[in-house]
Amino acid sequence: MKRYTFYVTLSNGSEIHVTSVGKDKEDAIERFMSLPKTIEFIGKATVTAARLVKEEEITLSAFNRFVLQSSKNKGWWVVGDPEGTFVIRFKEGEFNETREITYLRDSPMDALEEARVLREIPEWLQVYHSEVL
Protein backbone atom coordinates (compact mmCIF):
# COMPACT_ATOMS: atom_id res chain seq x y z
CA MET A 1 0.00 0.00 0.00
CA LYS A 2 1.23 3.49 -0.80
CA ARG A 3 0.34 7.08 0.04
CA TYR A 4 0.03 9.25 -3.05
CA THR A 5 -0.14 13.00 -3.34
CA PHE A 6 -1.55 14.48 -6.54
CA TYR A 7 -2.57 17.73 -8.13
CA VAL A 8 -5.88 16.79 -9.74
CA THR A 9 -7.38 18.88 -12.53
CA LEU A 10 -11.16 18.71 -12.88
CA SER A 11 -13.33 19.19 -15.96
CA ASN A 12 -14.65 22.47 -14.49
CA GLY A 13 -11.10 23.89 -14.54
CA SER A 14 -10.49 23.59 -10.80
CA GLU A 15 -7.31 22.04 -9.45
CA ILE A 16 -7.26 20.29 -6.08
CA HIS A 17 -4.45 18.91 -3.94
CA VAL A 18 -5.18 15.28 -3.02
CA THR A 19 -3.52 12.81 -0.65
CA SER A 20 -4.91 9.29 -0.72
CA VAL A 21 -3.83 5.72 -0.09
CA GLY A 22 -4.13 2.81 -2.50
CA LYS A 23 -2.53 -0.27 -4.05
CA ASP A 24 -1.53 1.90 -7.01
CA LYS A 25 -2.12 5.44 -8.34
CA GLU A 26 -5.42 4.54 -9.97
CA ASP A 27 -6.72 2.89 -6.81
CA ALA A 28 -5.75 5.93 -4.71
CA ILE A 29 -7.58 8.32 -7.07
CA GLU A 30 -10.60 5.98 -7.18
CA ARG A 31 -10.74 5.82 -3.37
CA PHE A 32 -10.58 9.59 -3.09
CA MET A 33 -13.18 10.15 -5.79
CA SER A 34 -15.63 7.75 -4.09
CA LEU A 35 -15.65 9.61 -0.76
CA PRO A 36 -19.01 11.32 -0.10
CA LYS A 37 -17.29 14.63 0.71
CA THR A 38 -15.40 14.54 -2.61
CA ILE A 39 -18.57 13.80 -4.55
CA GLU A 40 -20.33 16.68 -2.82
CA PHE A 41 -17.38 19.03 -3.41
CA ILE A 42 -16.75 18.37 -7.10
CA GLY A 43 -20.37 17.92 -8.18
CA LYS A 44 -20.61 16.73 -11.77
CA ALA A 45 -16.96 17.50 -12.57
CA THR A 46 -14.68 14.67 -13.62
CA VAL A 47 -10.94 14.18 -13.36
CA THR A 48 -9.17 15.32 -16.53
CA ALA A 49 -5.62 14.96 -15.21
CA ALA A 50 -3.79 13.81 -12.09
CA ARG A 51 -0.17 14.86 -11.69
CA LEU A 52 1.72 12.78 -9.15
CA VAL A 53 3.65 14.91 -6.67
CA LYS A 54 4.74 12.33 -4.12
CA GLU A 55 4.59 8.58 -3.62
CA GLU A 56 5.59 6.83 -0.40
CA GLU A 57 5.37 3.25 0.78
CA ILE A 58 3.28 2.81 3.91
CA THR A 59 2.72 -0.07 6.24
CA LEU A 60 -1.01 -0.32 6.58
CA SER A 61 -2.36 -0.89 10.06
CA ALA A 62 -4.24 -4.11 10.64
CA PHE A 63 -8.04 -3.98 10.61
CA ASN A 64 -8.12 -4.40 14.40
CA ARG A 65 -5.46 -1.70 15.00
CA PHE A 66 -8.11 0.88 15.94
CA VAL A 67 -11.67 0.71 17.18
CA LEU A 68 -14.51 2.54 15.37
CA GLN A 69 -17.88 2.98 17.08
CA SER A 70 -20.93 5.09 16.43
CA SER A 71 -21.32 7.90 18.93
CA LYS A 72 -24.30 8.49 21.20
CA ASN A 73 -24.95 11.55 19.03
CA LYS A 74 -26.58 10.59 15.72
CA GLY A 75 -24.28 11.04 12.73
CA TRP A 76 -21.09 11.13 14.83
CA TRP A 77 -18.35 8.50 15.16
CA VAL A 78 -15.58 7.75 17.62
CA VAL A 79 -12.30 6.05 16.71
CA GLY A 80 -9.61 5.23 19.22
CA ASP A 81 -6.50 3.27 19.88
CA PRO A 82 -6.98 -0.09 21.63
CA GLU A 83 -4.76 1.01 24.53
CA GLY A 84 -7.35 3.67 25.41
CA THR A 85 -4.94 6.60 25.29
CA PHE A 86 -7.18 8.85 23.21
CA VAL A 87 -10.25 8.95 20.97
CA ILE A 88 -11.11 11.05 17.96
CA ARG A 89 -14.73 12.08 17.62
CA PHE A 90 -15.97 13.28 14.22
CA LYS A 91 -19.13 13.93 12.26
CA GLU A 92 -19.85 11.46 9.47
CA GLY A 93 -18.65 12.81 6.15
CA GLU A 94 -16.71 15.65 7.82
CA PHE A 95 -13.67 14.04 9.42
CA ASN A 96 -11.20 16.84 8.62
CA GLU A 97 -13.61 19.62 9.55
CA THR A 98 -14.98 18.21 12.82
CA ARG A 99 -12.38 15.89 14.40
CA GLU A 100 -11.91 16.39 18.11
CA ILE A 101 -9.10 14.58 19.92
CA THR A 102 -9.73 13.68 23.55
CA TYR A 103 -7.00 12.22 25.73
CA LEU A 104 -8.32 9.62 28.13
CA ARG A 105 -5.09 9.29 30.10
CA ASP A 106 -1.49 10.43 29.97
CA SER A 107 0.09 9.27 26.75
CA PRO A 108 2.93 6.78 27.11
CA MET A 109 3.98 7.69 23.55
CA ASP A 110 6.57 10.28 22.66
CA ALA A 111 5.51 13.14 20.36
CA LEU A 112 6.73 11.44 17.15
CA GLU A 113 4.94 8.17 17.94
CA GLU A 114 1.77 10.07 18.79
CA ALA A 115 1.95 12.04 15.52
CA ARG A 116 2.43 8.79 13.60
CA VAL A 117 -0.65 7.24 15.22
CA LEU A 118 -2.73 10.35 14.54
CA ARG A 119 -1.66 10.12 10.87
CA GLU A 120 -2.43 6.39 10.72
CA ILE A 121 -6.02 6.81 11.87
CA PRO A 122 -7.33 8.70 8.81
CA GLU A 123 -5.47 6.29 6.52
CA TRP A 124 -6.97 3.34 8.40
CA LEU A 125 -10.42 4.90 8.11
CA GLN A 126 -9.94 5.54 4.39
CA VAL A 127 -8.99 1.91 3.73
CA TYR A 128 -11.42 0.10 6.05
CA HIS A 129 -14.29 2.54 6.70
CA SER A 130 -14.27 5.15 3.92
CA GLU A 131 -18.07 5.40 4.10
CA VAL A 132 -17.85 7.40 7.35
CA LEU A 133 -15.29 9.94 6.13
Side-chain angles (χ1 to χ4, degrees), residues 69-78 89-92:
Q69 298 176 320
S70 58
S71 173
K72 290 181 248 174
N73 300 48
K74 186 172 171 56
W76 286 79
W77 292 88
V78 177
R89 182 176 174 265
F90 63 95
K91 187 173 184 181
E92 185 168 322

Side-chain angles (χ1 to χ4, degrees), residues 1 3 21 58-66 82 116-125 127-128:
M1 194 67 78
R3 181 183 309 113
V21 295
I58 62 169
T59 303
L60 190 59
S61 299
F63 180 75
N64 63 353
R65 168 74 169 102
F66 301 106
R116 183 186 54 73
V117 170
L118 291 172
R119 187 193 72 232
E120 283 179 11
I121 289 175
E123 291 174 350
W124 179 85
L125 286 168
V127 170
Y128 297 115

Side-chain angles (χ1 to χ4, degrees), residues 20-107:
S20 184
V21 295
K23 295 177 288 213
D24 54 37
K25 293 179 268 195
E26 291 75 22
D27 183 45
I29 289 286
E30 198 172 298
R31 286 173 185 270
F32 172 77
M33 295 302 292
S34 68
L35 294 173
K37 200 68 171 171
T38 303
I39 294 166
E40 179 185 333
F41 177 74
I42 68 170
K44 295 183 189 283
T46 57
V47 174
T48 58
R51 184 170 52 89
L52 182 64
V53 177
K54 188 176 181 182
E55 177 179 329
E56 39 186 337
E57 198 69 46
I58 62 169
T59 303
L60 190 59
S61 299
F63 180 75
N64 63 353
R65 168 74 169 102
F66 301 106
V67 179
L68 177 68
Q69 298 176 320
S70 58
S71 173
K72 290 181 248 174
N73 300 48
K74 186 172 171 56
W76 286 79
W77 292 88
V78 177
V79 62
D81 66 320
E83 294 83 34
T85 304
F86 59 84
V87 295
I88 299 176
R89 182 176 174 265
F90 63 95
K91 187 173 184 181
E92 185 168 322
E94 299 180 23
F95 180 83
N96 288 332
E97 299 85 353
T98 62
R99 68 179 163 214
E100 302 166 354
I101 301 169
T102 303
Y103 288 88
L104 305 175
R105 60 187 174 94
D106 287 340
S107 178

